Amino acid sequence: MTEREKPNGLALSHMWVAMITFLVAAFLGLYQVLERAEYIPAWAEGYYTSVTAHGVIMAYVLTTFFIVGFGYYCASSSLKRPIWSPGLAWGGFLMMLVGVLLVVYAIVTGQGTVLYTFYPPLTAHWTFYVGAALLVVGSIAWIIIMIVMPIRWKRENPGQPLPLIMFTTTANALLWGWTLVGVALEVVFQLIPLSVGWIDSVDVGLAKTLFAWTLHPIVYFWLIPAYQAFYMLVPRVAGGRLFSDEMARVAFIMLLVFSLPIGMHHLYVDPFQAAGWKLFHAFGTFMVAVPTLITGFTVLAGLELAGRLRGGKGLFGWIRTLPWDEPMLVATALALLMLTAGGFGGMINASYGMNTMVHNTMWVPAHFHLIFAGTTIIMYFAIAYHLWPKMTGRELFSKSLAVKQLWVWFIGMLILTIPWHYVGLLGMPRRTALMPYDPVYVDPWKSTLFAMAIGGVVLAVSAVMLIYNLVMTQVNRAREADRELKFAEPIHPVLSLPAPLNGFTLWNSIILIYMIAGWGYPIAQFFVMNTQNALPWGW
Amino acid sequence: MHIDPLERTWVVVVGLLTAMMLGVIFYTAWSGDIHPPSNVEVIDSTRLHLTEEFAEDNLGARTQPDGSVRVAMVATRYGFYPQHIEVPVDTPITFRFATPDSLHGLHIPGTNVDTMVIPGFVSEVNTVLQNTGTFPMYCNEYCGLGHHDMWSRVTITPKQG
């Protein structure tokens, strides 16, 4: 395949949107910690608007654009063919971009200060919801392409195992397809009609339930590229092998199936769902720990193998011989540390009863900044450093700057989240611009605000280092010699696979049944109970 | 399909670990009746003042004939009403909340009193408070630009007699 046939421009366009918006959102985050730490004048409207923009960009814009771009590049590289229907792909990109511009318009003009959770009866300007809908609809083009490409490949290569990277990318596309249905129903049937004025009231319980459908599996949609890098890019960079191709498939399938009907753990303390359903979803929530722990084993085993092949001896000697000047390896080690700590916190949030002690305290942003802004995003950085030279044909501007940037991000994230966990346990609420409560409670919280501000500054510095390096790579004169994206080979080559490990027909059927079991009645109840709608409210 | 023996062992360990954690949660839910607050009870948010329970004169803490305490509160932008309540320590308490406007949440730090308050539904928390003193009860779900100003005080008094 020639460079012209590769989706270089397509993937790069998606990823630049992700990176530029990320830089903006990182500075919004800095503004928020400074405001909360009382180093700059308190301004509630500014703070809540900033939280809205920070959340929308980091959670929806950065992730969706990055994942879509990465998916196109992996599909084309692994199947060794151009993207199927580039017109559809570019159409999806433009639709997503228009969606982002509409959302930005609503937020910047002060007509969308509703945070990034789609919870009526707070109702933003219609451009906020139409923009969000376009972002989602545009990404459906990617889902279609990620399903069509492997089907066509399998038709031409009957009986052959689908390359693991394509298998897992399609798993993520399917996960996203199942995930987005909840929020799509909410936006199309409730929020857009409400914001335009076609309906004058809304069932808040139904809206929150539909949003919860999306709310948790979306997190695994964001996380999967990080896992793909763990399995298929890291062992390659480290000079080792993938420990097991088959177990990797099993882990991704478990992630796909178990992560879907678990969103009700976001409704643990909501009144309108009965406790039994919450327990049902608690079950799935814990089951997701299984593929995560399997991944931890496989990644560490792959790294140990690499270390020993490089001459490492003894119980821990192999760690020293790993190539610690490689951004991908450094990011993985730091990501695993943050995943372990963040995963531990997540088990506490997931604990059906214990969660009430920490719900909506600073403990929660501490948890998801470790898992998402830590684990997931640091792997996005590493993927960016890995792909930019391949996409642009220019050498990475500075590998050592990249490694430093990853360390700075890690340190900043620890400075930010360790105090947040602590004040969360002391009861400090999240999402508040000011803390006017009695000093006897607020004073212990305030002892950590200094660290929070430092953490924000460190993270903003890291974000600038990243973007500087990528821009300088883009304009670098030195040509990149190796433009082929290669993936780790398993220790035992896979010659044939049972159908369930090479396709998703069975798993889609199981998901359908599991989703109906997990969400059927909890959604249907709003149509059989005599629920009362609420009127829309501004802010 | 090839699975390494070491990997197989690890999968078993992970399975046991997960089963143990789920076992604890299911067992305590069943044996100790430990659940997060759930209360599927609808109410017309636009007519709270016309209901008996959430009419202004009936809000606050009331001791029931069996010695337990029942608290009715309205969560509204931006405050919990009544603004200050007193409840006894070591006594079964049922908190009930409703809102006429936006989505709210509430938390009394250091306790398990934590629930969302959703227009159209009545939230209920059953608890026994264990420490005396005055605590904040603050809104913990963004409800508008005055969200941070939405709080009241709960005084937990020593048990009388």
Side-chain angles (χ1 to χ4, degrees):
Chain A
M1 196 168 50
T2 65
E3 286 304 326
R4 282 179 63 89
E5 291 173 318
K6 284 190 186 174
N8 287 326
L10 182 67
L12 204 56
S13 303
H14 281 87
M15 290 198 178
W16 264 124
V17 174
M19 289 304 166
I20 291 165
T21 51
F22 161 74
L23 185 66
V24 174
F27 276 87
L28 291 174
L30 173 60
Y31 162 74
Q32 287 153 229
V33 291
L34 293 178
E35 202 269 1
R36 280 193 80 143
E38 300 173 0
Y39 292 148
I40 52 175
W43 179 33
E45 187 169 6
Y47 176 80
Y48 293 123
T49 305
S50 180
V51 175
T52 304
H54 179 81
V56 165
I57 291 175
M58 293 299 200
Y60 308 138
V61 181
L62 155 69
T63 48
T64 311
F65 276 89
F66 190 91
I67 295 166
V68 167
F70 182 52
Y72 285 141
Y73 209 76
C74 288
S76 171
S77 302
S78 63
L79 302 184
K80 304 203 186 319
R81 60 183 55 189
I83 288 295
W84 176 76
S85 188
L88 179 63
W90 279 109
F93 173 74
L94 287 177
M95 196 178 269
M96 285 163 62
L97 201 58
V98 171
V100 171
L101 293 175
L102 284 177
V103 173
V104 167
Y105 165 79
I107 296 174
V108 169
T109 56
Q111 301 180 86
T113 308
V114 293
L115 301 201
Y116 58 104
T117 45
F118 289 58
Y119 293 155
L122 289 184
T123 309
H125 192 252
W126 62 267
T127 48
F128 187 81
Y129 302 115
V130 171
L134 288 178
L135 178 61
V136 169
V137 173
S139 73
I140 294 176
W142 174 75
I143 299 178
I144 294 168
I145 295 169
M146 292 303 104
I147 293 172
V148 170
M149 286 185 69
I151 289 176
R152 291 165 70 99
W153 186 90
K154 277 164 87 172
R155 213 177 289 145
E156 291 160 28
N157 299 273
Q160 295 286 313
L162 194 62
L164 183 59
I165 187 80
M166 188 69 244
F167 181 80
T168 53
T169 302
T170 305
N172 204 18
L174 290 171
L175 175 64
W176 178 227
W178 280 102
T179 303
L180 63 81
V181 176
V183 76
L185 292 172
E186 187 200 4
V187 167
V188 170
F189 291 104
Q190 295 189 294
L191 299 180
I192 291 177
L194 189 68
S195 60
V196 175
W198 293 330
I199 56 173
D200 56 11
S201 66
V202 62
D203 187 337
V204 180
L206 175 62
K208 277 205 83 179
T209 303
L210 289 172
F211 191 68
W213 167 335
T214 298
L215 193 51
H216 210 76
I218 196 174
V219 174
Y220 297 101
F221 166 60
W222 305 334
L223 185 62
I224 279 183
Y227 277 31
Q228 290 178 306
F230 286 163
Y231 279 99
M232 286 158 273
L233 296 178
V234 179
R236 178 106 211 168
V237 169
R241 293 289 187 93
L242 168 61
F243 194 75
S244 165
D245 182 290
E246 288 99 327
M247 276 310 280
R249 287 171 199 255
V250 170
F252 279 90
I253 288 167
M254 288 175 84
L255 213 52
L256 169 63
V257 175
F258 284 124
S259 74
L260 275 158
I262 63 174
M264 213 184 279
H265 66 228
H266 291 270
L267 303 179
Y268 274 164
V269 301
D270 278 72
F272 50 79
Q273 293 291 354
W277 291 110
K278 297 176 181 175
L279 200 54
F280 182 109
H281 284 234
F283 170 79
T285 306
F286 275 90
M287 291 308 289
V288 177
V290 174
T292 303
L293 289 165
I294 292 175
T295 300
F297 175 90
T298 310
V299 176
L300 287 175
L303 287 180
E304 179 175 350
L305 195 69
R308 296 201 187 282
L309 285 172
R310 290 168 160 271
K313 299 258 183 300
L315 197 54
F316 296 112
W318 56 272
I319 297 175
R320 215 162 7 103
T321 54
L322 288 170
W324 290 105
D325 57 341
E326 286 290 345
M328 185 65 74
L329 182 76
V330 172
T332 299
L334 302 178
L336 285 178
L337 290 173
M338 291 188 279
L339 181 64
T340 308
F344 178 74
M347 298 249 185
I348 290 171
N349 303 340
S351 295
Y352 180 68
M354 214 175 345
N355 169 68
T356 43
M357 304 294 289
V358 292
H359 176 82
N360 271 356
T361 66
M362 285 306 289
W363 175 276
V364 176
H367 158 70
F368 70 70
H369 276 79
L370 275 180
I371 293 272
F372 176 69
T375 310
T376 302
I377 296 299
I378 209 169
M379 292 311 293
Y380 285 16
F381 296 160
I383 291 169
Y385 289 133
H386 197 69
L387 289 192
W388 240 259
K390 300 191 189 301
M391 294 189 295
T392 60
R394 315 294 170 115
E395 235 176 52
L396 184 62
F397 171 68
S398 170
K399 213 176 190 182
S400 71
L401 181 66
V403 169
K404 287 191 191 87
Q405 184 263 330
L406 298 168
W407 276 103
V408 173
W409 187 260
F410 172 71
I411 291 164
M413 207 48 82
L414 292 188
I415 297 174
L416 193 73
T417 56
I418 291 173
W420 279 2
H421 278 103
Y422 172 68
V423 287
L425 292 176
L426 293 182
M428 178 174 169
R430 67 190 281 209
R431 296 176 176 165
T432 44
L434 301 158
M435 296 179 290
Y437 324 113
D438 288 327
V440 63
Y441 287 97
V442 175
D443 286 349
W445 304 344
K446 285 193 171 171
S447 62
T448 66
L449 297 178
F450 174 69
M452 182 167 113
I454 298 285
V457 172
V458 173
L459 290 168
V461 168
S462 178
V464 171
M465 290 164 75
L466 169 85
I467 302 300
Y468 174 72
N469 211 346
L470 294 182
V471 169
M472 294 306 283
T473 302
Q474 188 88 36
V475 299
N476 201 350
R477 292 196 179 174
R479 297 266 161 198
E480 170 70 23
D482 178 16
R483 293 193 64 179
E484 200 188 333
L485 179 61
K486 298 187 202 76
F487 306 97
E489 298 291 335
I491 298 174
H492 300 278
V494 182
L495 302 174
S496 69
L497 279 170
L501 291 187
N502 205 30
F504 296 96
T505 318
L506 171 68
W507 306 115
N508 278 321
S509 317
I510 289 174
I511 289 169
L512 181 65
I513 295 165
Y514 196 13
M515 286 297 276
I516 291 170
W519 285 116
Y521 184 75
I523 290 172
Q525 67 165 0
F526 295 102
F527 298 94
V528 298
M529 271 190 319
N530 184 26
T531 52
Q532 305 287 332
N533 282 1
L535 301 173
W537 286 77
W539 49 90
Chain B
M1 186 177 154
H2 170 90
I3 300 180
D4 190 272
L6 199 59
E7 197 160 31
R8 198 185 298 266
T9 310
W10 176 245
V11 171
V12 171
V13 170
V14 167
L16 290 174
L17 202 68
T18 310
M20 188 191 75
M21 287 186 286
L22 277 171
V24 168
I25 288 174
F26 276 76
Y27 178 74
T28 50
W30 169 70
S31 72
D33 202 18
I34 293 174
H35 301 282
S38 275
N39 188 46
V40 190
E41 180 184 341
V42 298
I43 193 167
D44 185 348
S45 298
T46 58
R47 294 168 180 274
L48 281 190
H49 57 294
L50 301 177
T51 62
E52 182 165 330
E53 184 175 14
F54 294 102
E56 194 173 352
D57 290 348
N58 296 337
L59 297 178
R62 286 169 187 240
T63 307
Q64 302 297 302
D66 63 357
S68 70
V69 173
R70 205 173 164 86
V71 182
M73 294 183 86
V74 168
T76 180
R77 303 207 303 187
Y78 294 103
F80 293 97
Y81 298 93
Q83 281 271 283
H84 187 190
I85 56 167
E86 282 190 16
V87 288
V89 75
D90 293 332
T91 307
I93 303 177
T94 300
F95 286 96
R96 284 171 61 81
F97 305 91
T99 173
D101 46 50
S102 170
L103 201 74
H104 302 285
L106 65 93
H107 186 45
I108 305 176
T111 73
N112 62 358
V113 179
D114 191 324
T115 184
M116 306 303 290
V117 187
I118 309 291
F121 296 87
V122 179
S123 304
E124 190 173 294
V125 176
N126 293 289
T127 190
V128 175
L129 298 168
Q130 290 166 347
N131 297 303
T132 57
T134 297
F135 298 83
M137 172 193 278
Y138 57 69
C139 181
N140 68 357
E141 182 61 86
Y142 175 68
C143 55
L145 294 181
H147 160 59
H148 46 273
D149 283 325
M150 183 167 172
W151 66 291
S152 67
R153 290 187 183 87
V154 178
T155 298
I156 304 170
T157 56
K159 222 168 177 174
Q160 282 149 10

